[in-house]
Amino acid sequence: MTPLSTLKTLYLFLILFSCGFHAFSQKANLSPLQLAQEAFEQQRWEKALSMLDLWIQDNPADREAYWMRGQAHQYVNKLEEALGDFSSLLTLDPQFAEAYFERGRVRYLLGHYESAIEDFENFLKMPPGETNRVLYKVAPGSNGVSEVTTLQTASAEQAYYHLGLCSIELGEYDFAILYLDEALSLNPEEADFYTEKGRALARLGDNVPAMEAFELALELNPNHLPAKEGLALVKTGGDEVLLSQLDQVVAEGSGNSQTYKQRGFYRMSHGQDDGAIEDFGLAISLDPEDSESYFYRGKTYSRQKKWKDAEADYSAAISLDPENPEYLLSRGQSRYVSGQLEEALADFTQTIALDPDFASGYYHRGITYQRMNRKSEACSELQKAIDLGMEAAVGVWEKVCKQD
């Protein structure tokens, strides 16, 4: 190496050393809070926590430091420590709205549902306004419910949603539905809200509206797993754990109409027809104004081919809820099978009048026309069902209407 190249190499080394020393010097001059913020942004949670611990020791009244440390504790799943941080913060500043929201989430995850409700209610009492504070996503463990928030700023809709979650855990399903309806009124495009409403409705035994809620969630997000699981459970009447709980309530003599209706639905869904009919009868005796109990008993009678009994129950359900197309469709099906074609046709026509997009109404009106030898009208109705996406109508149309 020539003397000139050696000098150039030495010069370059000195420059790099100087830059490195300058950077090190700058780093050394950062406060623990600044180092914590840097580590936080890099998602180095343990480093952030160690720096925040140092900072808070010397600055025990720094609200933002508690705010940051509480979130970092959540990320490493130290929920009790996070709870302590948010509580300390609220002692220092009872008007720190976001801290109520975050503490409520931590309390929910810890199972402290009553105190979580207090926090979410306090958050909602705070004056509305925009905030620049970030609520970092904390992914909860799988707990069988929808995700506990992924939002970037606290909002009233999420507070109502979490109030609904807490109420479900406390068994206060009516309150849960009220809270979730509030969340939906603020944001009707959130699948989680419909899913949890469906869960609350199912716990009350209101299975038809529960299924509707789950289906709305799946319209918004076809891959929403909790909605899929909820819909499947409702359609099969619930799991065996639920059945044992219902049996225990009945054995204790504290069952109400909803208890018997829900157990009846389970039995109906599992082929226990006689037990289902008995339970629905008990539900009706306790609450003769509940149309669903008549409807489900009618469906069970239909499976037993007791058409007159089924028709009587469907008629009772319709008298209580005359705007329900499912009830009219079911009575029409019962009448169709028992040979009452004119009466069945009237029911299917009324079904379509209530819901012009109900493909099954057109399909059943079509097969009724076909059985009455009114081929032209039958083909027209079947085509409408096909246009509305009913695949089952295609085969019937090809058999009845397709030209040779």
Side-chain angles (χ1 to χ4, degrees), residues 172-388:
E172 298 172 350
Y173 305 119
D174 288 327
F175 282 115
I177 292 166
L178 290 173
Y179 287 132
L180 291 162
D181 280 340
E182 287 289 340
L184 284 164
S185 71
L186 294 169
N187 181 6
E189 303 299 320
E190 178 53 65
D192 284 350
F193 298 173
Y194 288 106
T195 298
E196 296 311 314
K197 181 179 178 181
R199 201 157 66 100
L201 287 163
R203 294 290 178 83
L204 285 172
D206 293 336
N207 297 302
V208 171
M211 285 189 279
E212 290 173 352
F214 289 130
E215 287 165 353
L216 286 168
L218 290 170
E219 285 180 15
L220 292 167
N221 180 1
N223 297 316
H224 197 281
L225 184 58
K228 288 181 178 180
E229 292 174 345
L231 184 60
L233 274 176
V234 173
K235 285 184 174 180
T236 58
D239 55 25
E240 293 185 4
V241 174
L242 174 62
L243 178 62
S244 66
Q245 292 172 344
L246 295 170
D247 286 340
Q248 182 177 352
V249 171
V250 170
E252 292 171 352
S254 55
N256 56 25
S257 64
Q258 297 298 320
T259 307
Y260 288 110
K261 182 174 73 171
Q262 198 165 10
R263 191 174 70 172
F265 189 86
Y266 180 95
R267 286 173 163 174
M268 178 187 75
S269 302
H270 289 78
Q272 302 170 24
D273 290 347
D274 290 338
I277 288 170
E278 179 184 358
D279 277 340
F280 292 135
L282 289 167
I284 290 166
S285 68
L286 292 168
D287 184 4
E289 301 301 313
D290 187 340
S291 63
E292 282 192 345
S293 296
Y294 291 101
F295 174 65
Y296 293 142
R297 191 172 68 175
K299 289 181 76 69
T300 313
Y301 278 136
S302 292
R303 290 207 314 214
Q304 295 182 331
K305 299 183 179 180
K306 296 179 179 178
W307 308 120
K308 290 296 181 184
D309 291 330
E311 183 179 342
D313 274 343
Y314 290 141
S315 296
I318 291 166
S319 68
L320 293 167
D321 186 2
E323 302 297 310
N324 192 315
E326 287 284 354
Y327 293 178
L328 283 157
L329 180 71
S330 295
R331 187 175 70 178
Q333 290 170 325
S334 179
R335 287 172 165 177
Y336 173 87
V337 173
S338 63
Q340 302 176 68
L341 299 184
E342 292 290 349
E343 292 84 351
L345 186 65
D347 280 340
F348 298 140
T349 299
Q350 183 62 19
T351 297
I352 294 166
L354 289 171
D355 185 356
D357 295 323
F358 196 4
S360 191
Y362 292 104
Y363 171 80
H364 282 89
R365 193 160 68 172
I367 61 175
T368 305
Y369 277 136
Q370 191 272 334
R371 193 170 168 187
M372 297 168 77
N373 296 316
R374 295 162 66 173
K375 180 178 177 180
S376 174
E377 292 161 295
C379 292
S380 175
E381 296 300 306
L382 290 169
Q383 185 61 57
K384 290 175 183 175
I386 293 170
D387 292 342
L388 288 167

